[in-house]
Amino acid sequence: MTSSTDADLQRRTCAARAALADDLMHLSEHRWRTQSLCPEWNIEQVVAHLTAAASLGRFRWFRSIFAAGFQPAVHNDRRLHEHLGSTPAETLEWFRAVIDSTTAPSKDTAAYLGEVIVHGHDIRYPLGITAHTDLEALTQVAHFFAQRNFTVPSKSMVRGLRLRATDGSFDHGAGTTVAGPTLALVMTMAGRGAYLDQLEGPGRQALQKRSVAVATR
């Protein structure tokens, strides 16, 4: 794998936001209320969460998490509601305003690319939206998730397994194999059990047992 620079990862993050905004441009107001793959969050709330994530630098993030008693769920819900518009159209407009943002709480650029990709498909999956996702971006995120527990226990989940993409170059680990599309591997590492049925191989059962039943925000 060729490791991308931070600038390249940021460019891909911005492109992923733009693609998601375009996918939601003609969504009816009723469908904005659809339950996403994130527990307790509908489509509009996930979009607002992504706007919040692109609006918090290190200092503001630390101040917010401190005020929330270091409870990520409380922090996320407070920031999410700051970025909910009076209508879904306004929420989407505010999201479009941060498409090109490079603001983030830390320098873990691959993690924030992963957040946009994962939450983008938390939205698309229940809406039945099929979208082309940048395979190189997915591969970068897959390597990050497999090597580090960040906001999800992705590294722990795949310990002792070999993950192999059937549509790209991602190949990580040693042990019993789990194979499938790179997107399905990424989403499963992020705790999205809905994607497990796209995977196969002798390691799939072990991964299924470890998979987080509830998506981590």
Side-chain angles (χ1 to χ4, degrees):
M1 180 198 69
T2 301
S3 181
S4 292
T5 64
D6 278 351
D8 182 58
L9 292 172
Q10 287 174 344
R11 178 184 63 79
R12 294 178 189 277
T13 301
C14 296
R17 291 191 193 114
L20 177 60
D22 287 347
D23 284 344
L24 299 177
M25 187 166 48
H26 300 299
L27 200 65
S28 69
E29 186 161 350
H30 172 73
R31 298 192 79 199
W32 276 95
R33 311 304 176 199
T34 302
Q35 173 67 49
S36 75
L37 292 185
C38 290
E40 302 178 6
W41 285 359
N42 63 27
I43 301 305
E44 184 178 11
Q45 289 168 321
V46 177
V47 172
H49 170 70
L50 287 173
T51 305
S55 305
L56 286 176
R58 184 188 299 267
F59 176 75
R60 288 190 63 207
W61 178 89
F62 182 79
R63 185 174 63 182
S64 177
I65 197 75
F66 178 81
F70 294 95
Q71 299 179 69
V74 174
H75 156 80
N76 284 334
D77 279 331
R78 286 178 176 176
R79 301 292 74 80
L80 176 161
H81 283 95
E82 287 181 351
H83 297 278
L84 274 175
S86 57
T87 64
E90 187 172 49
T91 299
L92 182 58
E93 180 183 349
W94 290 354
F95 177 60
R96 283 194 179 277
V98 300
I99 281 176
D100 294 325
S101 172
T102 58
T103 299
S106 73
K107 295 182 179 180
D108 301 288
T109 316
Y112 302 117
L113 170 59
E115 180 169 45
V116 177
I117 288 175
V118 170
H119 282 315
H121 289 281
D122 286 340
I123 289 169
R124 292 182 178 103
Y125 186 93
L127 292 175
I129 296 174
T130 301
H132 169 74
T133 302
D134 180 350
L135 184 58
E136 179 58 26
L138 279 172
T139 302
Q140 295 289 336
V141 172
H143 279 284
F144 182 89
F145 281 2
Q147 294 174 36
R148 185 173 172 190
N149 292 330
F150 192 70
T151 59
V152 290
S154 49
K155 177 181 176 181
S156 300
M157 194 186 306
V158 301
R159 185 175 291 118
L161 299 174
R162 178 193 175 194
L163 307 182
R164 181 177 61 80
T166 54
D167 60 347
S169 62
F170 177 63
D171 195 329
H172 177 88
T176 52
T177 298
V178 181
T182 312
L183 175 61
L185 292 169
V186 165
M187 295 297 287
T188 301
M189 283 191 280
R192 276 52 174 182
Y195 283 80
L196 275 164
D197 61 2
Q198 298 181 34
L199 304 178
E200 58 185 15
R204 182 183 179 278
Q205 186 174 4
L207 184 57
Q208 185 170 13
K209 288 180 179 178
R210 301 175 189 176
S211 180
V212 180
V214 176
T216 304
R217 297 173 181 173

